[in-house]
Amino acid sequence: MNPNPQSAIPLYFQIEQDLASLIASGVLAPGSQIPSEEELVQKYGVSRTTVRKAVQELERLGLIEIRRGKGTFVRAAKLTQELTALTGFVEDMVAIGLQPSAKLLSKETVPATEEVARQLRLPIGTEVMQIRRVRMADDVAISLDETYLPLGLGRKVVENDLEVYPIFSLLEGKYDTPLLEADYRIEAVSADPAVAEALGIEEKAPILLIERVSYSLDQNPVDFEKLFYRGDKLRLTTRLQRRPSPIPLEALPRIASKGR
């Protein structure tokens, strides 16, 4: 497509629409890299300013993403995770045909904060093992996982290659710690500088914070995690059953009148 400078439609919008059409048709497939700024300037015969405006609009629409130091790529569809069973990241990614991997950022003994102590049912200040990893799917950063384990169990876990072995698999397959169920808390938050740097996103970008406490036998908490998921990469789904309403039909007018 050759942009028409005589048209009332701005040049950047003509280019934006052409690229959006290529994305919609699959010519530019999800995950593929779009031409560089210089290549787009040559292709469309316009200024860099015009190309940048078109690319910025495509990014604003969520059709592309800019990866620092790598280029600009067509945004893949969101990963869909069903909240119907206790599963780990590797299991979730394999189930949808993606290649999981991990980058270990740190593993260290730290004193339990009030939050960590409460979740693991330990006195505040008790030493626990903290493990921080970036979890990736097809080499794209998806989440930053911050895991806390009781110190005795944590010291065993960190002896393993945590870029290869999931913690769930080690707990169940090597350290005789079956995971039976978990509590989930999900909150929409903004990425702080540390999370943004780890995930390669902008500060204050929308992310999902999932706090998960996993329990073993006798309802003992053995694993507390703070999972920072990119908001543009994950969709959570579940199916809910309707329970009988505790509010009788005849009580509704009375309830409504109180709010006036």
Side-chain angles (χ1 to χ4, degrees):
M1 185 274 286
N2 293 319
N4 179 7
Q6 306 304 320
S7 172
I9 301 174
L11 287 175
Y12 83 86
F13 188 74
Q14 294 180 50
I15 296 169
E16 173 196 333
Q17 291 299 295
D18 186 53
L19 290 172
S21 176
L22 295 175
I23 292 171
S25 65
V27 173
L28 290 174
S32 65
Q33 186 170 6
I34 72 170
S36 67
E37 184 178 282
E38 181 60 36
E39 290 171 328
L40 292 175
V41 166
Q42 295 297 320
K43 175 180 179 179
Y44 292 112
V46 296
S47 68
R48 289 182 179 272
T49 301
T50 300
V51 165
R52 285 173 187 165
K53 177 65 172 173
V55 170
Q56 288 170 356
E57 286 300 303
L58 289 171
E59 183 183 24
R60 184 184 66 80
L61 292 170
L63 296 179
I64 62 174
E65 61 179 328
I66 299 173
R67 300 178 191 169
R68 297 174 186 172
K70 294 183 179 181
T72 304
F73 296 80
V74 177
R75 191 182 295 280
K78 286 190 177 183
L79 308 176
T80 299
Q81 179 179 338
E82 294 187 1
L83 294 181
T84 55
L86 176 55
T87 57
F89 182 87
V90 170
E91 296 162 343
D92 293 334
M93 296 306 104
V94 169
I96 57 177
L98 299 180
Q99 178 64 46
S101 57
K103 178 182 179 183
L104 179 65
L105 300 182
S106 64
K107 51 182 182 181
E108 59 182 328
T109 301
V110 299
T113 63
E114 181 179 354
E115 177 187 31
V116 173
R118 182 176 66 253
Q119 302 298 350
L120 292 179
R121 299 178 190 166
L122 297 170
I124 297 174
T126 301
E127 288 191 331
V128 295
M129 184 63 68
Q130 180 198 66
I131 301 165
R132 298 176 70 249
R133 296 168 296 165
V134 174
R135 313 301 293 274
M136 294 169 283
D138 287 353
D139 295 323
V140 176
I142 302 297
S143 74
L144 170 64
D145 291 8
E146 196 172 279
T147 302
Y148 296 89
L149 299 168
L151 190 58
L153 190 57
R155 281 175 171 164
K156 297 177 182 177
V157 167
V158 298
E159 292 176 352
N160 299 273
D161 185 346
L162 297 179
E163 294 189 351
V164 174
Y165 295 103
I167 291 176
F168 275 14
S169 297
L170 290 169
L171 292 176
E172 295 180 316
K174 191 171 183 178
Y175 298 117
D176 193 27
T177 307
L179 300 175
L180 303 182
E181 56 188 3
D183 290 328
Y184 271 72
R185 286 173 294 277
I186 304 170
E187 182 180 359
V189 299
S190 299
D192 65 25
V195 172
E197 181 180 3
L199 296 179
I201 58 177
E202 298 296 325
E203 288 185 29
K204 299 184 179 180
I207 59 174
L208 285 176
L209 168 59
I210 301 175
E211 295 183 338
R212 179 171 68 192
V213 184
S214 299
Y215 299 91
S216 186
L217 302 174
D218 299 325
Q219 289 292 300
N220 290 319
V222 295
D223 174 276
F224 171 52
E225 297 171 279
K226 301 183 75 168
L227 313 174
F228 301 90
Y229 273 91
R230 288 178 54 169
D232 61 336
K233 290 294 185 183
L234 181 70
R235 177 186 293 113
L236 299 172
T237 64
T238 189
R239 185 169 188 171
L240 305 177
Q241 281 190 323
R242 173 69 173 164
R243 294 183 296 189
S245 174
I247 304 173
L249 186 64
E250 57 271 18
L252 292 175
R254 184 171 66 254
I255 293 173
S257 66
K258 290 182 178 179
R260 293 173 185 167

